[in-house]
Amino acid sequence: MSWRSSFRCSKFRYVFGKPATKEHSYDGVPITRSVHDNHYCSANPCFIAMVTECAGGGAFLVLPIHCLGRVDPHYPRVCGHSGRVLDVKWNPFNDYCIASCSEDCTVKIWDIPVCGVQQNLTKARKTLTGHSRRVAIIEWHPTAENLLLSSGYDCKVLLWDVSQSGSVIRHPVRVVLMPVHHRYPSEALLLSVSFNSDGSRLAVTSKDRRIRVLEPRTGKILQVSSSKTHRANKVLYIRGLKMLLSTGSSPWNHRQIILWDPDDLSEPLYEEDLDGSAGVLFPFYDPDTQMLYLAGKGDGNIRYYELSSEKPYISFLMEYRSLLPQKGLGVMPKRGLDVRACEIFRFYRLIAVKDLVEPLSMVIPRKQSEVFQEDLYPMTAGNQAALTAQEWLLGINRGPVLMSLRPEAHVENPYAEIPADKNQLKQLSAVRFQTNTNLDFMEKAFLEEQLAYQDAKYPRELSDLSGWQPDETESPLWSYRCTPHCREPAEKPPPTTESELLQAFYKQQDEIRGLKEELHQKEVRIAKLELDLKNRSNLRATF
C-alpha cells in the first residue's frame, strides 16, 4: 500500500459528509435484490428514480426530489417492463425523460409528468428492441441530445437516436460492437462505459478485465490495456485532466485504483492498492473541484481524493464512514446542489438492509456560507444540448454548454438554440399558472395571517421582558411581510422557454420553504418566551 502524505495545502481538506436524518430521507423503499454491479438510482433537480423489487416483472419508483419521509407502500410505480429492471438514467437535457434497461431485452424511454407519477405508468414513449439478451448498461451522450448507448449480454453495443418516429425502434443509428460469426467474445461484454467531455471517445471495461478506448461512431478500438497487473472493473474519464481512472483488483485480489493516459494504455501513470475487500468500487468525479469519490458496493465508507495534472496526480483527503452498507448510489447534478450551504457534491445511498435511501451531502465549511463562493462553483455543464444527434453522427464534436450556479444567473447557449416542444411549454405554463394561483399565493397569504396573528397576540411587553427585539431589516420573514412588491408582483415579461419556466417554478418553491422555516423558527422562539414569562411569574409568586 502506497504512502500518503498527511500534510498538503488544499482548500478541500476539511470537506465532510453530512448525512440526512431519517425524516429527510426516503424511507420504506423496497430496493431491488439484483446482484448486478449497477447504481440502481438516478437523480436530477426534479425527481429521484430508484429500482425496486417487484413480483411478476420489473419496476422502478420515481419520487419528487422534495417528497421526503416515509414512502407509501402503494405509491405508483413505472412498471412497463416484463423483466427485472437493471438500471435507470435521467436524460441530462430533459428532467422529465428517463431511460431504463431490463432483463426483458428492451430499453424503454419514459415521459414523467411534471406533477409526478400519479398512477402506475405502464406505457413507454419509446421501446428499443435491438438486443436479444438482457440489457445491463445504458448511458446518455454528454453533449448531443437524444443519443443513448446500450450494452447487453448478447455482446452488442448499440447507439440509439430516441427522437426517431414510432413507439418501437428496432434499428440503432450505430452499432459500436457486435459478435462476429455468432461468436461472443469476452471483450464485447461490457462491465462499464464512460464518455469523454465532448463524447468523441468512449472508454469501456469488459469481461476480460481490460480497458479499451473506442471511437463510438465507428466502433474502432484505439487503445487496449494489459490485464496482467490490473483486472479492471469500472472505468471513468477524468474530464479536464486528460486521464482515465479505473478501479479493479490486483493479482493478489487487493482493490486498487489506477490512472492512465487515454492515448497510451501500455503503462499506468499511477496505481495504488486500497484494501482486501471484495466489493466493487464505484468511482465518481467532479471536474469543477477535481475531486474523486470512491464508494464500494457493500461498504459503508466513501473515500475522497483530490486529483491534479502533476505527480503524484492523486492526494487522499478524507473518508466518510457509516455502519450501514450501500447497495448502490445516485448522484445529483451540480445544478441541483444547495450553493447556500456550500454543498459541492451529493450522493443518494441505497441502504437495502433498512429499505432506506439516504441523501449524503459533501459540504465544505465556510464562514460566510450565505455568500456565493466563486471558487467552489465555477462554470459547469448545464442542461442544454450542444448539438443534435444528426450533427454528432456527421462528425461534429462540441463541448458541453456551461452554466453558472449563481442564483439569478443566465448564460446564453453559444451554439444554435434548440427549439422547445410547444406542447410541453403549454403544459408547463398551465402547471405554473395553476401552482401560482392555487398554492403559492395561498401559502404566502397564510404566512402573512400567521405573522399578523402573532404580532397581535404577543405585544411588545413580552419582548421587553426577555430582551428580544424583532429586527425587521434582517429577518427575511419580516422583510417579506413589509415589502409591498411581494404582495403585488412586479410586471415582468412572462417566461417563454422551458428552462425559464422551471427556474421560476422552483424559485417560488424555494421561497415558500424558506418562509416556512422562518415561521417555524419564530414559533419556537415565541414558545421559549412564553416559558420564560411563565417562569418569571412563578418566581414572583414564590417570593
Side-chain angles (χ1 to χ4, degrees):
M1 192 174 291
S2 63
W3 175 81
R4 300 191 186 113
S5 174
S6 301
F7 303 98
R8 184 177 184 274
C9 182
S10 173
K11 62 182 176 183
F12 301 111
R13 62 186 180 273
Y14 296 121
V15 173
F16 66 96
K18 183 179 180 182
T21 61
K22 194 171 183 180
E23 292 77 14
H24 293 84
S25 302
Y26 306 90
D27 191 15
V29 179
I31 300 171
T32 179
R33 300 190 185 97
S34 176
V35 296
H36 282 76
D37 296 328
N38 290 337
H39 294 157
Y40 302 119
C41 179
S42 185
N44 65 27
C46 300
F47 300 101
I48 178 173
M50 301 152 286
V51 181
T52 60
E53 190 66 23
C54 180
F60 60 95
L61 193 65
V62 176
L63 295 174
I65 200 68
H66 299 297
C67 184
L68 304 172
R70 185 77 179 177
V71 178
D72 186 359
H74 302 288
Y75 194 91
R77 286 170 168 78
V78 183
C79 50
H81 285 285
S82 59
R84 190 191 299 266
V85 176
L86 299 182
D87 204 6
V88 291
K89 292 286 176 62
W90 287 102
N91 189 333
F93 311 119
N94 185 355
D95 289 340
Y96 303 95
C97 176
I98 188 171
S100 62
C101 61
S102 169
E103 291 182 349
D104 62 4
C105 311
T106 64
V107 179
K108 293 181 181 290
I109 310 299
W110 307 87
D111 286 332
I112 304 301
V114 177
C115 54
V117 180
Q118 303 297 324
Q119 57 184 358
N120 286 342
L121 190 59
T122 58
K123 187 176 180 181
R125 173 165 62 93
K126 301 286 182 182
T127 302
L128 317 180
T129 61
H131 291 278
S132 59
R133 298 184 66 183
R134 56 187 173 183
V135 187
I137 297 176
I138 51 176
E139 188 70 30
W140 291 96
H141 195 278
T143 58
E145 63 173 348
N146 296 321
L147 275 182
L148 179 68
L149 182 137
S150 65
S151 173
Y153 275 70
D154 55 358
C155 295
K156 292 181 181 179
V157 182
L158 308 177
L159 198 61
W160 305 85
D161 181 4
V162 300
S163 64
Q164 294 181 3
S165 60
S167 59
V168 179
I169 303 177
R170 304 184 185 276
H171 303 289
V173 292
R174 286 289 188 276
V175 177
V176 182
L177 293 175
M178 66 177 302
V180 180
H181 303 301
H182 302 285
R183 293 178 59 251
Y184 296 91
S186 58
E187 61 265 20
L189 181 57
L190 304 189
L191 301 179
S192 69
V193 299
S194 177
F195 282 100
N196 65 346
S197 59
D198 60 1
S200 61
R201 292 292 182 267
L202 179 68
V204 302
T205 55
S206 307
K207 189 178 179 182
D208 61 356
R209 298 304 182 95
R210 295 189 177 189
I211 302 171
R212 289 173 173 82
V213 176
L214 309 176
E215 209 292 322
R217 295 184 181 91
T218 61
K220 181 181 178 181
I221 299 177
L222 305 177
Q223 293 286 330
V224 183
S225 69
S226 173
S227 61
K228 295 181 180 180
T229 59
H230 176 68
R231 293 177 291 182
N233 198 308
K234 300 292 180 182
V235 67
L236 184 67
Y237 256 104
I238 305 300
R239 301 173 182 178
L241 296 181
K242 296 182 180 180
M243 288 190 292
L244 277 176
L245 180 134
S246 65
T247 63
S249 59
S250 67
W252 299 274
N253 290 328
H254 288 168
R255 292 196 300 188
Q256 61 180 186
I257 56 175
I258 289 189
L259 290 173
W260 307 84
D261 181 359
D263 297 327
D264 183 11
L265 298 182
S266 59
E267 292 292 335
L269 298 175
Y270 173 89
E271 60 180 303
E272 178 181 349
D273 291 351
L274 297 179
D275 52 40
S277 300
V280 175
L281 279 174
F282 295 114
F284 302 91
Y285 179 67
D286 181 7
D288 299 336
T289 58
Q290 296 185 353
M291 288 184 62
L292 171 70
Y293 302 87
L294 295 179
K297 182 179 179 181
D299 298 348
N301 61 334
I302 298 178
R303 303 177 176 92
Y304 37 102
Y305 306 77
E306 186 175 9
L307 301 185
S308 64
S309 58
E310 300 176 355
K311 291 183 178 181
Y313 301 113
I314 184 168
S315 301
F316 178 77
L317 293 175
M318 196 66 70
E319 181 178 4
Y320 167 80
R321 295 183 179 182
S322 173
L323 297 177
L324 299 176
Q326 58 230 1
K327 184 180 180 65
L329 298 104
V331 174
M332 172 63 71
K334 296 299 290 289
R335 55 192 174 89
L337 300 181
D338 186 4
V339 298
R340 296 172 298 180
C342 294
E343 183 185 27
I344 60 174
F345 214 75
R346 187 191 304 167
F347 292 99
Y348 290 90
R349 301 176 62 232
L350 272 61
I351 305 173
V353 295
K354 295 286 187 178
D355 288 341
L356 182 71
V357 179
E358 177 190 67
L360 173 65
S361 299
M362 309 306 295
V363 179
I364 180 169
R366 290 290 175 91
K367 291 183 178 179
Q368 295 180 343
S369 59
E370 67 278 358
V371 179
F372 183 76
Q373 308 291 329
E374 294 281 357
D375 59 330
L376 298 182
Y377 304 104
M379 299 289 287
T380 186
N383 58 345
Q384 297 186 45
L387 69 169
T388 64
Q390 291 74 21
E391 291 175 339
W392 184 84
L393 293 172
L394 291 175
I396 302 175
N397 294 322
R398 290 176 181 171
V401 179
L402 302 181
M403 65 174 291
S404 174
L405 298 181
R406 180 188 291 274
E408 306 295 336
H410 177 71
V411 178
E412 296 292 338
N413 189 344
Y415 308 117
E417 291 288 341
I418 301 171
D421 187 1
K422 295 182 179 180
N423 295 330
Q424 189 174 11
L425 285 177
K426 290 181 180 180
Q427 184 181 7
L428 287 170
S429 301
V431 171
R432 178 177 178 270
F433 175 77
Q434 182 180 2
T435 305
N436 286 344
T437 55
N438 296 340
L439 179 61
D440 299 339
F441 294 155
M442 292 177 63
E443 293 199 12
K444 291 178 180 178
F446 171 76
L447 293 174
E448 288 184 351
E449 292 178 1
Q450 291 295 319
L451 287 172
Y453 170 75
Q454 290 171 359
D455 291 343
K457 184 177 180 180
Y458 303 102
R460 185 167 297 274
E461 288 78 12
L462 181 60
S463 60
D464 292 339
L465 287 175
S466 60
W468 172 73
Q469 294 287 344
D471 189 353
E472 299 186 0
T473 62
E474 297 182 359
S475 173
L477 200 58
W478 285 93
S479 61
Y480 165 76
R481 181 172 63 90
C482 301
T483 306
H485 70 266
C486 292
R487 300 187 181 183
E488 297 180 1
E491 295 184 1
K492 297 182 179 179
T496 56
T497 64
E498 178 184 355
S499 60
E500 291 178 355
L501 288 170
L502 291 175
Q503 184 179 5
F505 175 76
Y506 287 109
K507 180 182 176 182
Q508 291 174 351
Q509 297 300 314
D510 293 338
E511 183 182 358
I512 291 174
R513 284 193 298 273
L515 292 174
K516 286 183 177 179
E517 291 177 0
E518 292 293 336
L519 180 61
H520 176 70
Q521 293 176 2
K522 188 172 182 180
E523 289 177 348
V524 172
R525 205 167 193 177
I526 290 175
K528 292 181 180 179
L529 294 176
E530 286 182 331
L531 182 60
D532 188 14
L533 181 62
K534 184 177 180 180
N535 292 336
R536 294 190 179 192
S537 300
N538 294 336
L539 186 63
R540 290 174 182 176
T542 303
F543 290 98

